[in-house]
Amino acid sequence: MLFLVSIKKKMLEVNGLIKKYDKQNAVNNITFSLQGGEVVGLLGPNGAGKSTTMKCIVGLLRKTAGEVSIGGHDHLSVEAKKLFSYIPETPNIYDLLTVREHMQFIAQAYGVKDWKERAEVYFEMYDLADKQDKLGRDLSKGMKQKVSICCALLPDPRILFFDEPMIGLDPKAIKNTKKIFKTLKEEGKTILVSTHLMESVEAIADRIMIMKEGNIIGNDTLSNLKANFNGGNDSTLEDLFLELTKDE
Ligand SMILES: Nc1ncnc2c1ncn2[C@@H]1O[C@H](COP(=O)(O)OP(=O)(O)OP(=O)(O)O)[C@@H](O)[C@H]1O
């Protein structure tokens, strides 16, 4: 019962977020929230402001205005940082740490006691078991992305921000990442995932949020979005996306 109460809480609140690069508003006063346990797909054409929004939320970019809280804590606080993991669209891997040392480093930073067992599972899943001693600088782009995902999953965070997680992954890794999404959802994790691969979120997203030119132009369950869309219930998420984001 306590668990049910805790996952119903708002895990992410974004209020009036604005991010300007010089004079251009990349994110234009957006407000939204994610309940605990909710999985939300963040869609939008190139340059819509998805990555900028995520980077502001996780504190990698300084916001121009607005408030962001994670688990009820200001997003820049240590309390908030203990709750989430972020998978950036371009993996940031340490050149001089091996794959295994990346896991050890994260385990020490987050106090993950059973990290060796957990790391083995992820290494198997992402075909990294025989690459554990490779240095970060010697990994391919896709392998770096796999290490980045493993690092994010290791501390078992309550909220995960995935920015284009499938980029560079091979088909097996894409399949396993989709399985991981499903498991994380079943475990009650809160997930915001930005992607251009719509079928990767269509099956698991409780809600779809669509951005265009820094604004949120759609934010609802897939069925409600479809009901309000001319194409009707037979339309796919792709049809809906193309209709909503087309230039007037
Ligand atoms: N460092 C930067 N300096 C100046 N402008 C930037 C910078 N980063 C992004 N922008 C601009 O901000 C806007 C939003 O970019 P952002 O990367 O957030 O979009 P996106 O939705 O993630 O796009 P994509 O799907 O291509 O990854 C774009 O107009 C982009 O040109």
Side-chain angles (χ1 to χ4, degrees):
M1 192 60 191
L2 263 179
F3 176 69
L4 280 178
V5 172
S6 71
I7 66 168
K8 286 274 179 233
K9 252 179 31 182
K10 273 188 186 164
M11 275 303 283
L12 171 70
E13 283 195 85
V14 174
N15 250 315
L17 177 66
I18 298 175
K19 175 64 190 175
K20 284 182 201 278
Y21 293 109
D22 298 322
K23 286 187 182 143
Q24 185 210 357
N25 267 21
V27 175
N28 195 15
N29 196 0
I30 61 170
T31 296
F32 67 94
S33 61
L34 263 70
Q35 302 282 338
E38 223 183 355
V39 177
V40 175
L42 179 58
L43 311 181
N46 293 133
K50 305 177 299 293
S51 295
T52 302
T53 300
M54 284 223 191
K55 285 184 190 158
C56 288
I57 292 172
V58 301
L60 278 181
L61 272 180
R62 193 184 298 232
K63 56 192 187 296
T64 307
E67 282 156 23
V68 180
S69 69
I70 296 175
H73 309 283
D74 180 82
H75 67 137
L76 301 178
S77 66
V78 176
E79 288 83 358
K81 287 185 176 154
K82 283 181 184 166
L83 295 176
F84 73 82
S85 283
Y86 164 63
I87 295 94
E89 68 185 325
T90 312
N92 291 318
I93 294 299
Y94 296 102
D95 279 351
L96 296 179
L97 289 187
T98 64
V99 169
R100 191 174 175 77
E101 284 165 351
H102 275 86
M103 292 289 126
Q104 190 173 358
F105 173 64
I106 295 291
Q108 282 168 356
Y110 286 84
V112 185
K113 294 204 174 59
D114 58 345
W115 72 271
K116 288 182 186 159
E117 295 78 8
R118 290 176 60 76
E120 291 305 322
V121 173
Y122 295 131
F123 287 165
E124 273 309 313
M125 205 174 257
Y126 283 110
D127 288 328
L128 290 171
D130 60 344
K131 303 188 176 63
Q132 293 183 45
D133 297 322
K134 262 190 185 257
L135 289 174
R137 68 177 176 203
D138 296 334
L139 298 173
S140 72
K141 200 168 79 187
M143 287 175 196
K144 286 181 184 171
Q145 181 66 352
K146 290 174 176 179
V147 173
S148 174
I149 295 176
C150 293
C151 286
L153 295 171
L154 195 73
D156 195 23
R158 300 219 354 237
I159 177 160
L160 295 108
F161 299 102
F162 287 97
D163 193 357
E164 294 285 351
M166 310 295 187
I167 283 192
L169 294 183
D170 56 39
K172 182 179 169 192
I174 290 181
K175 192 171 173 201
N176 281 331
T177 306
K178 286 186 200 164
K179 268 195 205 157
I180 287 174
F181 282 171
K182 201 164 166 276
T183 309
L184 292 169
K185 183 182 165 81
E186 284 162 5
E187 290 172 353
K189 309 288 189 197
T190 309
I191 304 175
L192 181 63
V193 52
S194 140
T195 183
H196 292 295
L197 297 179
M198 298 188 199
E199 40 79 44
S200 69
V201 290
E202 200 162 1
I204 55 147
D206 298 301
R207 193 150 50 87
I208 300 290
M209 218 159 70
I210 301 179
M211 288 188 76
K212 187 182 175 190
E213 293 167 1
N215 301 303
I216 297 175
I217 58 164
N219 182 8
D220 211 331
T221 60
L222 184 53
S223 53
N224 282 350
L225 287 172
K226 280 182 181 175
N228 293 325
F229 164 62
N230 293 339
N233 258 334
D234 291 340
S235 57
T236 62
L237 177 56
E238 191 181 32
D239 296 331
L240 185 71
F241 173 83
L242 292 173
E243 178 65 24
L244 279 171
T245 57
K246 76 177 177 200
D247 291 322
E248 298 307 320

